[in-house]
Amino acid sequence: MTQRKGEKTTISIQEHMAIDVCPGPIQPIKQISDYFPRYPRGLPPTVPPALIRASSLRSSSASQNSGDDPACSHTDDDPGRAFGGAAAALSHAATGKKEEEPDMEGYDSDDSTTLGTLDFSLLYDQENNALHCTINKAKGLKPMDHNGLSDPYVKLHLLPGASKANKLRTKTLRNTLNPVWSETLTYYGITDEDMVRKTLRISVCDEDKFRHNEFIGETRIPLKKLKPNQTKNFYNCLEKQLPIDKTDDKSLEERGRIMISLKYSSQKSGLVVGIVRCAHLAAMDANGFSDPYVKTYLKPDENKKSKHKTAVKKKTLNPEFNEEFFYEIKYADLSKKTLEVTVWDYDIGKSNDFIGGVSLGISANGERLKHWFDCLKNKDKKIERWHTLTNELPGTTFND
């Protein structure tokens, strides 16, 4: 296109959007979208580099050619005029004091809040080997039903080894996306070793009467984050379902835990054995549960009279027994005895299934040996301990 002498140079808005207008070579802009920055919701605008560059070039051009070159004078099509207020604010931000930046940890994006948030607290009671999980409330849950609401409940699992044996759940609240449970669920038999290697998985689900319950979201807390006897509060965004590692070491698999109390009574001249409760027992029945009961023997047992048995607890993996058995025996003879405790699943019409056992006595080791020695050293004092059940118990006939 030719231009006559004395004719004004005109530049269209399209050319303004595509090039930097300044003395010297024409420089293409890398991204036209730099002139139209889109800021995340809730965050203050930052300085777009292209806009600062264009603004500074125009200001230098205007100061050098003011009144001389009409081609460099600002017209209504000049984007610098359109962004005048923003450019001034940006240049002030670049030269003035740095403003306080928002806390990005507190910024809730659409991706992180689409499933909702969960408010809960955890407390590890070291003395009683218990983990208390208080589920307070959830907020902004994802709608799962046709009415735009959900019927949410919370379930807990301990990983590794998630199973019905260590599953706990809250009640279900109907037709709400902001449920308030204020419910405390407790795991018993939690040891310091568990606190180091286990993770608590907290899932929020939607209950359906006529089909499978639907998963909403979950969060996972490594128990090593907790300090003994100190309540820790959490307010976590729910995440999509994460895969469970199926390659966990098989040596970590357990048959369950049992709490046993021992006391030598000087007044009665005998040993009082208490079967308090079991936790996280292995499921032996097709329904995913067991019908557990406990048997105890004090061996060697020449007269075959040392056998005691608790009542059967139906369809549970975390039974409470609270039963005591008495063995008449001299204190000096205790050092020669071994207490064998076995847990069984009761079945009608067929042999009962062995779940697990534990042996306490002078030939035991670790916590089992320590428990026996503590009993011998502290007459007339009841001493309770949690013990891990094993698959095999030497000296016991696995036939009920």
Side-chain angles (χ1 to χ4, degrees):
M1 185 178 88
T2 58
Q3 181 179 348
R4 296 180 182 178
K5 189 175 181 181
E7 186 177 339
K8 287 187 177 182
T9 303
T10 58
I11 300 176
S12 67
I13 186 63
Q14 288 85 357
E15 290 176 292
H16 272 294
M17 293 295 99
I19 59 174
D20 276 335
V21 182
C22 62
I26 296 177
Q27 299 177 354
I29 297 175
K30 292 181 180 180
Q31 290 184 346
I32 296 178
S33 60
D34 285 346
Y35 279 107
F36 303 94
R38 300 182 66 180
Y39 307 114
R41 184 178 57 197
L43 292 178
T46 55
V47 182
L51 190 56
I52 292 183
R53 184 173 68 251
S55 176
S56 60
L57 288 173
R58 280 190 207 95
S59 61
S60 61
S61 173
S63 60
Q64 293 176 7
N65 302 287
S66 177
D68 297 334
D69 189 354
C72 292
S73 63
H74 298 296
T75 66
D76 290 339
D77 292 335
D78 189 354
R81 186 179 298 274
F83 291 94
L90 292 172
S91 61
H92 174 72
T95 56
K97 282 188 176 181
K98 183 179 179 181
E99 295 184 4
E100 184 178 353
E101 296 181 358
D103 183 9
M104 295 300 293
E105 293 295 329
Y107 171 60
D108 292 331
S109 68
D110 290 341
D111 291 338
S112 65
T113 60
T114 183
L115 301 176
T117 55
L118 184 64
D119 181 352
F120 61 98
S121 63
L122 302 176
L123 169 63
Y124 173 48
D125 183 351
Q126 191 175 35
E127 182 179 355
N128 297 311
N129 295 104
L131 177 64
H132 303 287
C133 313
T134 301
I135 308 299
N136 297 318
K137 60 184 178 179
K139 186 177 179 182
L141 294 180
K142 180 181 178 181
M144 304 299 289
D145 298 336
H146 294 300
N147 60 2
L149 300 172
S150 294
D151 302 320
Y153 66 92
V154 176
K155 63 179 181 179
L156 311 180
H157 284 105
L158 283 175
L159 303 176
S163 66
K164 286 188 177 180
N166 62 40
K167 183 182 81 172
L168 301 175
R169 63 162 286 174
T170 67
K171 60 190 176 185
T172 300
L173 300 180
R174 302 292 176 186
N175 297 323
T176 178
L177 299 179
N178 301 287
V180 179
W181 288 284
S182 299
E183 195 171 337
T184 299
L185 307 174
T186 302
Y187 281 106
Y188 294 98
I190 301 297
T191 63
D192 290 341
E193 181 185 356
D194 292 328
M195 297 301 294
V196 172
R197 68 180 181 87
K198 285 191 177 287
T199 295
L200 179 65
R201 178 192 184 195
I202 306 177
S203 307
V204 182
C205 300
D206 170 58
E207 185 177 286
D208 285 317
K209 290 183 178 180
F210 305 108
R211 53 180 180 172
H212 291 297
N213 296 341
E214 296 179 287
F215 176 86
I216 298 177
E218 70 170 42
T219 184
R220 297 186 185 185
I221 305 296
L223 296 185
K224 60 185 178 182
K225 287 187 174 182
L226 305 181
K227 295 181 180 178
N229 306 314
Q230 292 185 20
T231 301
K232 187 173 178 65
N233 298 309
F234 296 87
Y235 189 75
N236 288 11
C237 292
L238 297 176
E239 303 176 77
K240 295 179 180 178
Q241 192 164 14
L242 302 173
I244 297 177
D245 188 5
K246 301 292 185 181
T247 61
D248 292 327
D249 186 359
K250 296 299 181 182
S251 65
L252 297 179
E253 291 183 359
E254 300 172 355
R255 307 293 289 179
R257 309 279 177 85
I258 185 169
M259 177 181 270
I260 301 171
S261 68
L262 298 177
K263 182 180 79 169
Y264 184 81
S265 174
S266 301
Q267 185 178 2
K268 296 181 179 179
S269 297
L271 177 67
V272 181
V273 177
I275 304 300
V276 183
R277 69 191 307 157
C278 294
H280 322 324
L281 294 180
M284 308 302 291
D285 296 336
N287 60 7
F289 293 97
S290 294
D291 301 319
Y293 67 95
V294 179
K295 295 193 302 179
T296 65
Y297 296 88
L298 192 61
K299 295 189 173 182
D301 181 20
E302 294 82 5
N303 300 324
K304 307 291 182 181
K305 293 183 179 180
S306 71
K307 175 182 172 180
H308 289 286
K309 185 189 297 187
T310 68
V312 176
K313 302 294 180 180
K314 294 289 186 179
K315 199 178 178 182
T316 178
L317 300 176
N318 298 281
E320 278 192 60
F321 297 101
N322 294 316
E323 296 187 37
E324 289 187 342
F325 307 119
F326 180 75
Y327 291 100
E328 187 175 348
I329 184 175
K330 294 179 181 179
Y331 177 76
D333 293 338
L334 276 180
S335 59
K336 306 171 187 176
K337 295 289 186 177
T338 296
L339 178 68
E340 293 182 353
V341 181
T342 54
V343 183
W344 298 80
D345 168 53
Y346 178 74
D347 287 318
I348 299 176
K350 59 179 182 178
S351 298
N352 297 330
D353 298 317
F354 173 72
I355 296 178
V358 64
S359 178
L360 307 179
I362 200 70
S363 59
N365 52 38
E367 284 296 320
R368 294 167 292 177
L369 178 61
K370 186 175 184 298
H371 193 184
W372 191 255
F373 272 139
D374 287 345
C375 172
L376 296 179
K377 289 189 295 183
N378 299 278
K379 290 183 180 180
D380 301 310
K381 181 180 179 181
K382 181 187 289 188
I383 299 176
E384 292 183 345
R385 293 279 192 281
W386 281 98
H387 298 284
T388 300
L389 299 173
T390 58
N391 292 321
E392 297 181 358
L393 188 56
T396 298
T397 303
F398 294 156
N399 186 12
D400 192 28

